[in-house]
Amino acid sequence: MIKRIIIQNYRMYEKFDLELTSGVNIIVGDNDCGKSTLLEAVSLALTGRLHGRLLAQELSPYLFNERATRAYIEALQAGMAPQPPEIIIDLFLDDAKVPAALRGTNNLLAEDRPGVRIRVAPNPDFSLEYADFIKEPAKVNLIPTEYYTVDWLGFSGNGITFRSIPATASLIDATSIRLQSGADYYLQGIINESLEVRERVELSRAYRSLREQFSANPSVELINANLGGNQGDITDREFTLSIDLSQKSTWESSLVPHLDNLPFAYIGKGEQNCLKILLALKKKVTDAHILLIEEPENHLSYSRMNRLVRKIIEQCGDKQVLVATHSSYVLNKLGLDNLVLVSAVRGIRIADLPASTVDYFQKLSGYDTLRVILSKATLLVEGPSDELVVQRAYADRHDCLPIEHGIDVINVRGLAAKRFLDIARLLELRVAVVTDNDGKEPDKARERFKEYTTSAGITVHVGEDPAYPSLEQQIGAANDLNTLNSILKKSYSSKDELVEYMANPDNKTTCALAIFESKTPITMPKYINEAIDAVQ
């Protein structure tokens, strides 16, 4: 089991540190935040391979962190003598059943621990070539990986092989697979690995017998007879058509999996991905100690996702699992308490959430938990009408919707707001709550959120005047009758009547939509503008 991973200068990670748990670890983050890189780094450290090849064969300047590369080149061109950057991936393993050869202080923490390391560093054998290379710093634009070497080591400092590591990893990424001859090579590999030697022999024999059946077909006999009649014109030897069985494994590249009599390549992408992941789990869960699953939700409907998540839970058992996902459904069902929010520097655990909040999100899988986690900032509002009005207010201020600035507006009701604030408080996110005063003094209305407002990023915004308890009444107080009639295309003679119409539950969303879409200038209540300021 992996206890901790530290990454230095690999891809987007200049310095990254994350502790892992023994069960499921759900890796969540925005696009390009390093989720896939994290899974790749774990696999690389445990296998020594990248994209199926030894890392030394895949070594590229673009594997080095861009900031580290830029700092090195700038220092070089400034006349300094910087040390070339190194890539280091350290995996700290559980003490149980770890060979002594893997224990030592050769890690970034300099602690006596068991673990494995991938290190990409300058090769001393090329020191003269490197010195000659940097004589003209202006021409240096990338890391000279030609002068680097790859070391796969235990924390003892000794070289290791695949057999040295008491943990195996299996990376399952259905979306990166290319289809080939009906079935892709990955799926073929899974099927082949699932067959016993006797079954493979029987398949080969059955496939070979097809030659006799093919040649004995009356149509094929007629064609071959016609070809034989032209023997002298084409070749002096007998010329016929048949099935090529010259290769021992011909059947492996020719047999195509079918679902309900449809070739694999012709079924939907969602079904393809689901099948690949389930087949991989069925085979690899028994062989691998650590499973790495890349975005299992791709192309899947709600029902198919439900089945897949259930299978992951059932089959992974006591294995250590890392799942990278953008799906709230996957997150909620596999356990919000297993969440790791990945940034460019570290992973933050959410295991400290109140148990009731974790249980709440697990039961209400439709709630878009990830929206508050992945947004730059969030505005929590109490209903769909508030959501529309707040978005209009933001557009009036910034000439665009909040989502274009990475700010999400989420409609939550009642105590649900507190569930999201539990997440925001732990992860130090910026969240502004927009709520009605319900006829109470503002301080009294804010009191139900007082346990959260001690966090620097959380603010609560309430209409100041208790005489206007709802959003509609606050809008009515801020605007004149003509403006509201114009926006709503009404002709009320009394503002009270118009506000009563707006506040009617049957009309609230319709009126909010009219406000959202209208080109007529409108004055927004002060507390809404303050909430928008709070998330800038």
Side-chain angles (χ1 to χ4, degrees), residues 125-406:
D125 294 341
F126 293 112
S127 57
L128 295 178
E129 289 85 349
Y130 173 74
D132 189 56
F133 170 77
I134 60 174
K135 284 181 179 178
E136 298 183 77
K139 294 184 178 180
V140 178
N141 297 309
L142 294 170
I143 303 293
T145 52
E146 296 82 3
Y147 307 136
Y148 274 66
T149 185
V150 176
D151 296 320
W152 195 16
L153 310 166
F155 283 178
S156 61
N158 299 319
I160 60 174
T161 66
F162 184 76
R163 294 181 180 273
S164 307
I165 304 174
T168 57
S170 177
L171 178 60
I172 302 172
D173 181 4
T175 61
S176 65
I177 299 155
R178 300 293 183 266
L179 295 180
Q180 174 181 317
S181 301
D184 61 88
Y185 67 91
Y186 180 69
L187 183 58
Q188 289 175 358
I190 294 171
I191 294 172
N192 293 345
E193 290 172 7
S194 301
L195 297 177
E196 300 292 338
V197 174
R198 184 181 299 277
E199 293 171 326
R200 292 171 61 86
V201 169
E202 287 301 310
L203 257 179
S204 180
R205 183 201 59 76
Y207 185 79
R208 190 173 292 276
S209 70
L210 289 176
R211 176 174 183 171
E212 298 175 8
Q213 298 177 29
F214 182 84
S215 300
N217 185 284
S219 298
V220 176
E221 287 182 336
L222 180 60
I223 291 170
N224 284 334
N226 290 336
L227 290 172
N230 299 320
Q231 183 172 345
D233 298 332
I234 302 173
T235 175
D236 291 335
R237 306 180 69 176
E238 183 181 6
F239 182 71
T240 59
L241 296 178
S242 187
I243 297 175
D244 178 16
L245 297 174
S246 60
Q247 306 220 1
K248 182 178 180 181
S249 60
T250 301
W251 67 270
E252 295 174 343
S253 59
S254 299
L255 295 186
V256 177
H258 284 60
L259 290 182
D260 294 336
N261 295 321
L262 275 178
F264 184 77
Y266 289 88
I267 64 176
K269 289 290 185 183
E271 194 71 31
Q272 286 185 20
N273 285 354
C274 190
L275 180 62
K276 290 173 185 178
I277 292 172
L278 290 176
L279 283 171
L281 282 174
K282 182 177 177 62
K283 174 61 181 175
K284 296 187 176 183
V285 107
T286 57
D287 298 338
H289 296 86
I290 299 160
L291 287 169
L292 313 170
I293 305 175
E294 176 77 23
E295 296 186 8
E297 67 269 16
N298 283 306
H299 301 292
L300 293 185
S301 66
Y302 180 88
S303 60
R304 297 299 291 151
M305 175 61 67
N306 181 65
R307 177 188 170 193
L308 179 59
V309 171
R310 178 167 49 83
K311 290 293 184 182
I312 291 174
I313 295 171
E314 289 174 356
Q315 296 189 31
C316 288
D318 58 351
K319 306 293 183 182
Q320 188 174 35
V321 184
L322 278 69
V323 181
T325 184
H326 283 113
S327 168
S328 284
Y329 184 86
V330 174
L331 169 60
N332 291 332
K333 287 304 180 186
L334 290 182
L336 192 67
D337 52 337
N338 297 319
L339 171 67
V340 178
L341 177 65
V342 172
S343 69
V345 177
R346 63 192 177 110
I348 305 170
R349 284 211 162 272
I350 206 167
D352 294 332
L353 274 178
S356 60
T357 295
V358 174
D359 183 62
Y360 175 84
F361 281 112
Q362 286 175 325
K363 289 178 179 176
L364 295 178
S365 59
Y367 268 75
D368 211 346
T369 316
L370 293 185
R371 287 173 63 183
V372 70
I373 295 171
L374 300 183
S375 299
K376 174 184 171 185
T378 305
L379 288 154
L380 295 181
V381 298
E382 292 187 317
S385 55
D386 302 65
E387 182 179 352
L388 289 165
V389 169
V390 167
Q391 294 201 63
R392 163 67 191 268
Y394 192 97
D396 286 348
R397 299 276 298 277
H398 300 286
D399 294 323
C400 68
L401 293 176
I403 197 65
E404 296 178 54
H405 287 165

Side-chain angles (χ1 to χ4, degrees), residues 67-85 130 134 137-138 140:
R67 288 183 295 275
T69 299
R70 187 168 58 249
Y72 162 72
I73 292 173
E74 288 175 355
L76 200 63
Q77 294 179 348
M80 303 167 65
Q83 283 294 109
Y130 173 74
I134 60 174
V140 178

Side-chain angles (χ1 to χ4, degrees), residues 448-489:
R448 61 186 173 126
F449 298 107
K450 66 180 181 180
E451 62 184 296
Y452 301 100
T453 51
T454 55
S455 299
I458 299 175
T459 55
V460 180
H461 305 272
V462 184
E464 292 295 322
D465 193 339
Y468 306 109
S470 69
L471 171 65
E472 291 77 19
Q473 290 166 320
Q474 292 283 340
I475 291 175
N479 294 273
D480 60 56
L481 178 62
N482 290 336
T483 298
L484 296 176
N485 271 328
S486 174
I487 291 172
L488 301 178
K489 296 181 171 52

Side-chain angles (χ1 to χ4, degrees), residues 39 183 202 376 436 496 536:
L39 299 190
E202 287 301 310
K376 174 184 171 185
D436 295 334
D496 288 342
Q536 298 304 302

Side-chain angles (χ1 to χ4, degrees), residues 89-115:
I89 303 172
D90 283 347
L91 288 189
F92 295 77
L93 302 178
D94 192 1
D95 287 340
K97 300 180 182 179
V98 175
L102 297 183
R103 178 180 286 278
T105 59
N106 188 43
N107 56 70
L108 290 169
L109 297 180
E111 296 179 359
D112 187 12
R113 303 271 294 276

